[in-house]
Amino acid sequence: MFLAVDYRWNWAGVWRYRGQFALGWLTTLGLSLAAMVVSVAAGFLLMLGCRGRWMPVRLICAGMVELVRGSPLLVQLLIGYYIIAEALHAGFPMLVGIVLLGSFHAAYLAEIFRGAVESIGASQLEAARAVGFDRMQTYRFVIVPQAMRRALPGTTGQLVSLLKDSSLLSVIGIEELVQKVRVMNAASYAPLEGYLPLAAAYLIVTLPLARLARGLERRFAYET
Amino acid sequence: MKLEARSLVKRYGSHVALDGASFSTGPDDARVIALLGPSGGGKSTLLRVLGCLLVPDEGHVCVDGRDLPHDEVGAQAERRGNGFVFQGYNLFPHLTTLQNITLPLQEVHGMSALQAEQRAIEWLHRLGLEGHEHKRPSQLSGGQQQRAAIARALAPRPRLLLLDEPTSALDPVMTGEVLDVIRELAEEGQSIVLATHEISFARKVADQVVFLAAGKALECSPVSRFFQQPESNLARQYLEGLSRYR
C-alpha cells in the first residue's frame, strides 16, 4: 500500500527529532497515568454518589455524569482551561489537563462501575447483612471484590481511550506526543512520517494494558 | 425460646406478604419452631422479620420477651446475634469456604485471624467438609455448600439459627445430609426457627409449628397437636396434599 502511494519518505528529517519524540512520549505516559488515577478515583466516588442515600447528592452526581458524557472532550478542555481554570487562576496547564481528562473519563467509569455494582445480586447483599456486615463492610468485602472483576473489561477499554484522548490536551498547550509529532513533521517538511512511530508508541502501551487486564480477569475468575 | 408476633404487616409494593400475622408460641420454651404453609404464604418474609433482615411496616415481634428493634442500628446488632441460612446458600463466591466463615468472625465479631480460623475449621470438620476448606463455593456440591452456609451461620455461636427452606434446592441425598445436621443441632439445644416444606422432618424435630397462609398465621400449636388435629381447613388440606405422595 505504501508503495502504491506516490510519496517520498523522509525518515532522516524525523530521526533528528527523536529526543523530542521520546520526551513527548514520556509526557503522554506521565499525564495519562496521572489522569487514570484521577479517573478511577473520581469515577468510584461518582458511582457511590449516584447510589447514595441523599437525593441531592444523587441528582448532582447523575447530572455531572450526563453532562460530561453528553458533550465533547474538546469543548470541555477549552472551557475548562480557558474559562474555569483561568477564572480560578489555576495556572499549571499540565495539572488542569490531568484533572479535565481524568474527570471526562471518570464519568464513563462511574457508569461502568455502577453497572458492575448493580449486577451483584440482592441475595449477596442479603447474605452480607445476615452475617452482620454494615454498609461499608458490605461494599469492602462483598460488592467491590465481585464488581471489580465484572468492571475490568470495560475499565480497560476506557483507560485505553483515555490514553488516546490525551492527544487532545495539545489544545491547551501541553506538548504531549501528538503535538511533538506535529511540530516535528512541520519542522522536517515531512507531513506523514511522524505518525507511524506515533501509532507504534501508543500501541506499545495499549497492547500490554489489554493483556494485563485479561490476565487480571483470569486471576479473579470464579464461577458464581 | 418464645416467639410472639402482633399484627405483622409487610408489603412489597402492592403485594402484601404479611397481612396482620399474629401468634404466640408460649407458654413453654420451644427449641425448634417450624414455619409451615403453602408457598407465597409469608414464611420467608416472617423468617426475615424474625431475623431482623426486614423491618415490618406495622406490628411488633417479641423474641424471648424482647421487642425487636425497628431502627437500622438496633436491627444490625440483633442480626449479629443470629445465624441465617438461605434456600440458595448465598455463600460469597469470590471467597474460599474457609474465608466465608472467617471473614465475618474477624470483621464483625472481632476475633483474631488465628481464633477465627480455628473456629471455622472446627465447624467445617464437624459438618463433614474436611479437605474442602480452600475450595470456592462453585467447586462444592449443593449439599456441601449448604453445610458450609450452616457452618458460617453457626460459627459466631448465634442465639438463634434461622433457616429458610434450606433443602428446597437440593436432591434427596443432599437433603438428607443437611437435615441430619439440623437434627443434630436441635438435639444439642440450638434454638432454631425453620421455614420448610419437609413436613415429616418438621414433625420429628420441631416443638412448635406456626402455619402461615396468605400472610396470616392461621395456627400456632405444639407439633403433635398440629399434625394430629389441625384446626384450620387450609392446614388440613396442606398436610393432606403434602402427604399424598409420601
Side-chain angles (χ1 to χ4, degrees):
Chain A
M1 268 193 290
F2 285 111
L3 289 174
V5 180
D6 189 18
Y7 181 76
R8 282 167 182 273
W9 296 94
N10 172 18
W11 292 107
V14 172
W15 179 245
R16 273 193 286 133
Y17 292 94
R18 60 190 179 280
Q20 287 294 308
F21 187 90
L23 192 66
W25 189 63
L26 289 176
T27 309
T28 289
L29 282 192
L31 71 85
S32 297
L33 204 66
M36 282 177 190
V37 174
V38 170
S39 68
V40 170
F44 189 75
L45 290 177
L46 271 175
M47 177 274 289
L48 289 181
C50 288
R51 289 177 48 80
R53 277 185 225 174
W54 298 302
M55 169 103 102
V57 175
R58 274 208 306 274
L59 286 178
I60 290 170
C61 290
M64 276 164 66
V65 167
E66 290 313 321
L67 208 67
V68 170
R69 292 201 315 162
S71 57
L73 175 58
L74 185 65
V75 177
Q76 288 175 32
L77 288 175
L78 292 172
I79 293 176
Y81 183 68
Y82 291 108
I83 298 177
I84 300 173
E86 194 70 27
L88 297 172
H89 305 291
F92 306 116
M94 185 69 99
L95 195 66
V96 175
I98 287 168
V99 170
L100 289 171
L101 183 62
S103 312
F104 179 77
H105 286 276
Y108 287 87
L109 286 177
E111 285 296 279
I112 292 173
F113 295 164
R114 192 173 63 85
V117 163
E118 286 178 3
S119 73
I120 307 295
S123 62
Q124 283 290 302
L125 305 185
E126 191 173 45
R129 276 158 58 76
V131 299
F133 287 156
D134 58 28
R135 205 174 152 84
M136 186 83 155
Q137 289 170 322
T138 302
Y139 263 101
R140 186 169 154 210
F141 298 121
V142 181
I143 298 178
V144 172
Q146 294 187 58
M148 216 160 75
R149 179 182 155 243
R150 297 182 193 187
L152 253 173
T155 304
T156 318
Q158 201 58 46
L159 295 183
V160 167
S161 291
L162 182 152
L163 183 78
K164 292 185 292 176
D165 283 351
S166 68
S167 63
L168 281 174
L169 291 181
S170 58
V171 300
I172 60 168
I174 294 173
E175 294 226 326
E176 44 65 61
L177 186 56
V178 174
Q179 182 62 11
K180 288 280 189 202
V181 167
R182 277 201 205 110
V183 173
M184 182 169 93
N185 284 352
S188 57
Y189 302 107
L192 289 178
E193 281 77 351
Y195 290 117
L196 292 179
L198 174 78
Y202 275 97
L203 285 171
I204 283 173
V205 186
T206 54
L207 290 181
L209 194 67
R211 211 184 145 82
L212 174 78
R214 270 199 297 276
L216 282 174
E217 273 172 55
R218 268 198 299 275
R219 208 183 120 195
F220 292 137
Y222 51 82
E223 283 173 52
T224 49
Chain B
M1 145 189 59
K2 289 190 180 82
L3 291 184
E4 197 186 336
R6 293 190 299 271
S7 319
L8 282 181
V9 175
K10 181 70 195 174
R11 299 180 196 92
Y12 298 103
S14 60
H15 174 69
V16 186
L18 288 176
D19 189 10
S22 296
F23 64 89
S24 172
T25 62
D28 297 326
D29 249 351
R31 272 288 160 212
V32 179
I33 296 171
L35 309 183
L36 302 181
S39 296
K43 298 189 297 294
S44 291
T45 305
L46 176 62
L47 201 72
R48 279 165 174 74
V49 169
L50 294 174
C52 278
L53 278 172
L54 282 179
V55 173
D57 298 321
E58 290 166 36
H60 289 275
V61 181
C62 249
V63 177
D64 289 329
R66 281 178 310 116
D67 254 342
L68 291 187
H70 282 200
D71 64 297
E72 180 51 29
V73 177
Q76 183 177 290
E78 197 67 33
R79 286 198 294 273
R80 289 179 168 181
N82 293 335
F84 217 107
V85 176
F86 301 92
Q87 183 179 349
Y89 334 128
N90 296 10
L91 291 166
F92 302 126
H94 59 297
L95 301 178
T96 63
T97 312
L98 187 68
Q99 287 167 332
N100 260 282
I101 303 170
T102 55
L103 187 67
L105 289 179
Q106 286 176 252
E107 299 299 331
V108 175
H109 302 280
M111 289 174 76
S112 71
L114 189 70
Q115 280 177 315
E117 193 170 321
Q118 281 172 346
R119 177 82 66 86
I121 285 177
E122 201 178 290
W123 274 105
L124 286 174
H125 286 194
R126 225 202 106 181
L127 299 191
L129 291 166
E130 217 166 330
H132 299 293
E133 296 87 345
H134 301 289
K135 287 185 185 166
R136 291 254 165 84
S138 60
Q139 295 168 297
L140 302 177
S141 73
Q144 288 168 334
Q145 287 190 56
Q146 196 57 299
R147 279 183 280 145
I150 294 175
R152 179 174 73 179
L154 286 171
R157 299 196 176 124
R159 278 194 301 269
L160 191 60
L161 179 67
L162 301 124
L163 302 122
D164 183 19
E165 299 190 29
T167 57
S168 296
L170 300 175
D171 69 26
V173 176
M174 295 179 191
T175 297
E177 289 172 14
V178 170
L179 293 182
D180 283 345
V181 169
I182 300 170
R183 199 197 62 234
E184 271 177 42
L185 292 169
E187 284 166 2
E188 284 165 23
Q190 172 71 49
S191 295
I192 294 173
V193 183
L194 164 79
T196 187
H197 288 299
E198 297 287 339
I199 49 166
S200 45
F201 178 74
R203 191 171 191 166
K204 276 196 200 100
V205 176
D207 303 313
Q208 283 272 334
V209 170
V210 179
F211 180 78
L212 289 145
K216 290 189 166 63
L218 297 186
E219 266 180 68
C220 175
S221 49
V223 71
S224 50
R225 198 169 80 208
F226 176 79
F227 281 100
Q228 279 159 17
Q229 299 163 309
E231 288 163 19
S232 64
N233 276 335
L234 262 174
R236 238 189 323 273
Q237 285 164 8
Y238 174 77
L239 288 176
E240 279 168 14
L242 277 186
S243 32
R244 196 170 301 145
Y245 295 107
R246 299 198 181 198

